[in-house]
Amino acid sequence: MADALGPMQPVSPAPSPAPPVDRRVLRRQMLADDVYEAIKTMLMDHVIRPGARISIDGLAREFQVSSTPVREALARLESEGLAVKEPLKGYRATPLLTLEEFDDLYRFRLLLEPWAARRAAELISVAGREQLRSELANAVEPTSIDYAGYKSLTAHDNRFHSLIASLSGSEQVRLAFERTHCHLHIFRLHYNRDIGPEVLTEHRMLVEAITSGDPAAAEAAMTQHIENSMTLRLRRIYE
C-alpha cells in the first residue's frame, strides 16, 4: 500500500502549547507601571515639590493600593535621579538642578553630543537614516504645558539624543548620555513653559545634517541646539 501511494511523509510534531499567561503577574506589573507614571507626573509637575519628603503611606492611600507598588515606583524613580532615598527617613523628591549642576551638565553635553553628531554623519547608513527619520516623524508637539502634554516630547527627546549617540558607533558615549537622564531634569526646570516647537525645529535641522552625511553641519547643528537650550530656554531661570 505504501508503494502504491508513494513514500510516506514524516509527520511534523505538534507545536508545543504556549505557556499559560499568569494574569496576576500582568495585573501586578500594570499596577506598578501606573503608580510609577502617576508619581513621576507629580514630581515633574511639582505637585510633589522639589526637595519635599515623599510619604509612601500617603501615596498608597491616595492611589488606593498597597505600599509595595509605591516602593517599587520610588526605586525606579531613584534610578532616574528624580527621588532620593535617605537612611531611616525614606524618600524625598530630588531638588532642581543648581546653577553649578546645570552648567556642569551642559558642559558635559557640549563635549559629548556635537562629537556624536559628527561621527553619526560620518558613519550614517541607510538603516540609520531610516531610524532618525522615523523617530522625527513620530515626534508629537505638546498638547499642554504640563507633563501630561509634554510626556511624549520628553520621551522623544531622550530617544532622539540616545539614537544619535548610538549612531556615533560608541557604546560608551551612548551609556554616558543615558546615565544623565538630562531630558527629565531639564523638563523639571521648564515644566510650565512652551518650548516644544523650538525643540522640534532644531531636531529637524539635526536630522537633515546627519542624514545628508555632512559631519561639519551635524556638529554645528548639535552645538547650536544645546547652546539654545542652555542660554535661550533655560539659563534665564537662574537670573
Side-chain angles (χ1 to χ4, degrees), residues 136-143 149 152-153 156 200:
L136 185 62
N138 290 326
V140 178
E141 288 201 9
T143 55
S152 292
L153 180 63
H156 157 72
L200 291 178

Side-chain angles (χ1 to χ4, degrees), residues 44-198:
M44 299 296 282
D45 285 341
H46 299 194
V47 174
I48 300 175
R49 301 293 298 173
R53 292 286 302 277
I54 302 174
S55 170
I56 292 175
D57 291 341
L59 289 172
R61 285 192 300 272
E62 181 172 347
F63 301 143
Q64 297 183 344
V65 298
S66 71
S67 63
T68 299
V70 176
R71 293 181 187 277
E72 291 175 352
L74 289 172
R76 290 173 65 182
L77 292 163
E78 182 182 20
S79 72
E80 295 178 344
L82 294 177
V84 179
K85 188 175 185 181
E86 299 177 317
L88 306 177
K89 293 182 179 179
Y91 287 92
R92 63 181 175 86
T94 305
L96 295 179
L97 295 174
T98 65
L99 177 57
E100 182 178 2
E101 290 168 338
F102 174 83
D103 285 342
D104 278 348
L105 175 61
Y106 272 89
R107 279 193 290 264
F108 172 78
R109 294 189 71 186
L110 282 168
L111 286 172
L112 195 75
E113 294 191 70
W115 177 89
R118 169 179 278 275
R119 286 293 291 160
E122 291 172 348
L123 301 173
I124 197 65
S125 63
V126 172
R129 289 186 180 94
E130 289 303 311
Q131 286 178 288
L132 280 170
R133 289 167 179 158
S134 176
E135 179 56 49
L136 185 62
N138 290 326
V140 178
E141 288 201 9
T143 55
S144 60
I145 60 173
D146 57 5
Y147 183 59
Y150 261 86
K151 182 177 177 181
S152 292
L153 180 63
T154 303
H156 157 72
D157 190 56
N158 180 50
R159 291 193 306 267
F160 181 76
H161 285 269
S162 292
L163 176 57
I164 292 173
S166 178
L167 292 173
S168 76
S170 172
E171 180 67 5
Q172 291 303 314
V173 165
R174 185 188 67 80
L175 289 173
F177 170 77
E178 291 190 351
R179 288 190 188 109
T180 67
H181 296 286
C182 65
H183 58 293
L184 294 176
H185 297 284
I186 289 168
F187 178 84
R188 288 179 81 207
L189 293 174
H190 65 67
Y191 75 104
N192 62 349
R193 301 175 63 211
D194 186 10
I195 65 163
E198 301 169 15

Side-chain angles (χ1 to χ4, degrees), residues 1-18:
M1 181 67 70
D3 290 341
L5 297 176
M8 298 288 289
Q9 297 298 318
V11 178
S12 300
S16 301

